[in-house]
Every structure is written in C-alpha cells, then in structure tokens.
Amino acid sequence: MTTGSGVGVLDKAAAILNALENGPTTLSQLVELTQISRPTVHRIAQSLAHHGLVGRDMHGRFELGSRLVELASSAGEDRLVSAAGPILLKLRDQTGESTQVFRKQGEFRVCIASAERPVGLRDTIPVGTQLSMKAGSAAQVLLAWEDNERMIEGLHHARFTPTILAGVRRRGWAQSLGEREPGVASVSAPVRGQSGRVIAALSMSGPIERLTRQPGKIYHEVVVAAAHELSELLRVQNERP
C-alpha cells in the first residue's frame, strides 16, 4: 500500500481501486495485493460497488466500475471535445454524413461534439443533445463494455439485445437502422481512455436511403479508424507532462 493519508478507510478504498487498475481481480487476489484482511476488503469493495466505483465481470471478479469512467470522462471533457473536432470534420468529409461524439451521462448519452453535413438531408444532433441509452449504435457501444450488472440494467426496455452487444464487442463497432429515429441509420465505434476503457462513442449518421441497410459493412472501417485516432490522440495528450 502507498503512504497513508491518515483516513484509514479511504486509504484502504484507494488501495483496492489501485489493485483493480490492471483488470478483473478475485477477492483472494485483492487480499494478496492490498494486504488488507479478507472481510474488510469484501466490505469496502461491496460499498464501492454500491456507488458504481467497482463492478463485477461475468465471472464474478471485481473490476473498476463505470462510474469511475464517467468521472474521468467529465474531468477530461474539454480535452476530449477539442481533440474530437478535427477528427469529426475529417470523417464527415470522408463519408459525406454528419458525425458526433457521445458520452454517457447518467441515464442518457450526450452529444459533446459534432460536425454536420453542410447541405442536403441530414441527421442533425446539436452539441448538448440528450438521447436515450436504449436505442442507437452509440448507445450500443457505450453499453457493450459495461460491467455485467450495468449491462443487464441497461438492456431493460432497450431496442437491442444481449446478442447484438456481444457482436459489438466482437467486431469493435455497432450499427443501427431506425432504432433511435425512423429512417435514420448510424455506425459507431468506441473511444478509449488511457486505461483502455471505453469513455465515449464516435458516430456517423444519416438517412437509410443513403447509408443503405448495411451501413456497418460500408462505413465501419473509417469510423473505427477515426475512433482509434481519437483514442490515440487522447493517450498522447495524457502522457505529456
């Protein structure tokens, strides 16, 4: 454990969170890594889970919770917005369609950056727009890598299924046809923070008549490339002193 702050329970909570940085960890492993007694580790981990700071994976192992991702995203929001601008413009010019970056905020996904198609029929989503987490390719991406408990909760009344989310995780991108709005298609890919966790979804959207009924097949490569470029740019920026 690192040097204590003098507040024992907070020091122990920090030690548990630090131990989870490298990925899912069993209770026994947490005890070994933190040198804290098993009952105490379990009690604090459960309390952290109650606040979304710790989660459980499909095997019951402890892992960092999605609330930490939300807090980290909020702290770095300005950096994410400024980095996204040029990338969204380039993707818009490559595809001829509107592009956006969404971040999960509570029960909604919020558009924090966008580049609109300049002319013709378009899918207009102004910055600041709150959209449902129950429909759309960006919602799929933001939910697909959540911990198991939050994923199950997010799937309640959703327009997509666990099978669809499994496909999103396997492929690394999502598509939707009329999920959020009739006649609108979209393709989205995950933006990852320095730890590799998904912090946002980068999307392109437009009418089905232009994107076709297989938008992912046509556009997933450029969308995934743009999301990867944004993730890499954020990583480089975070490494700068």
Side-chain angles (χ1 to χ4, degrees):
M1 295 174 61
T2 57
T3 303
S5 67
V7 183
V9 68
L10 291 182
D11 291 338
K12 290 170 182 174
I16 291 169
L17 293 174
N18 288 336
L20 295 175
E21 185 177 1
N22 292 324
T25 308
T26 66
L27 179 60
S28 295
Q29 289 170 329
L30 278 180
V31 171
E32 182 179 350
L33 289 167
T34 62
Q35 296 299 298
I36 301 170
S37 71
R38 188 182 185 93
T40 301
V41 167
H42 187 262
R43 185 182 74 252
I44 294 175
Q46 291 290 88
S47 297
L48 291 170
H50 175 77
H51 293 286
L53 300 174
V54 164
R56 295 283 193 112
D57 69 5
M58 297 184 69
H59 302 288
R61 296 174 298 182
F62 291 100
E63 62 181 1
L64 293 176
S66 57
R67 182 58 182 151
L68 283 175
V69 178
E70 293 168 6
L71 292 170
S73 297
S74 296
E77 181 176 355
D78 289 345
R79 184 174 289 179
L80 176 58
V81 170
S82 61
I87 293 172
L88 290 179
L89 287 171
K90 184 170 73 171
L91 181 61
R92 181 199 66 185
D93 294 343
Q94 286 177 313
T95 62
E97 302 296 343
S98 299
T99 57
Q100 309 88 26
V101 170
F102 292 95
R103 186 168 62 84
K104 186 176 182 295
Q105 191 171 79
E107 300 302 312
F108 299 94
R109 54 184 170 104
V110 179
C111 178
I112 62 170
S114 68
E116 297 292 349
R117 190 174 193 265
V119 295
L121 189 61
R122 56 187 175 177
D123 181 35
T124 302
I125 304 175
V127 171
T129 300
Q130 286 188 333
L131 296 176
S132 171
M133 276 292 295
K134 304 296 185 180
S137 63
Q140 294 175 28
V141 164
L142 292 171
L143 189 60
W145 283 273
E146 286 274 31
D147 63 71
N148 194 48
E149 183 177 341
R150 291 207 173 195
M151 186 184 298
I152 292 172
E153 181 182 341
L155 282 165
H156 189 58
H157 294 315
R159 297 285 302 277
F160 41 80
T161 65
T163 301
I164 288 175
L165 293 188
V168 172
R169 291 192 299 273
R170 184 178 66 253
R171 296 190 307 264
W173 55 269
Q175 69 172 7
S176 68
L177 297 169
E179 272 188 15
R180 174 177 60 83
E181 184 178 337
V184 173
S186 66
V187 181
S188 299
V191 178
R192 298 180 181 274
Q194 193 169 14
S195 69
R197 291 181 171 269
V198 175
I199 61 171
L202 186 148
S203 305
M204 61 155 289
S205 59
I208 292 175
E209 62 188 55
R210 279 202 309 263
L211 270 64
T212 78
R213 299 197 68 82
Q214 291 185 307
K217 182 177 181 180
I218 300 170
Y219 295 106
H220 78 271
E221 289 186 358
V222 290
V223 173
V224 169
H228 178 75
E229 182 180 357
L230 180 52
S231 301
E232 188 65 15
L233 183 57
L234 291 172
R235 184 188 65 79
V236 171
Q237 288 179 349
N238 285 330
E239 289 178 351
R240 291 174 183 165

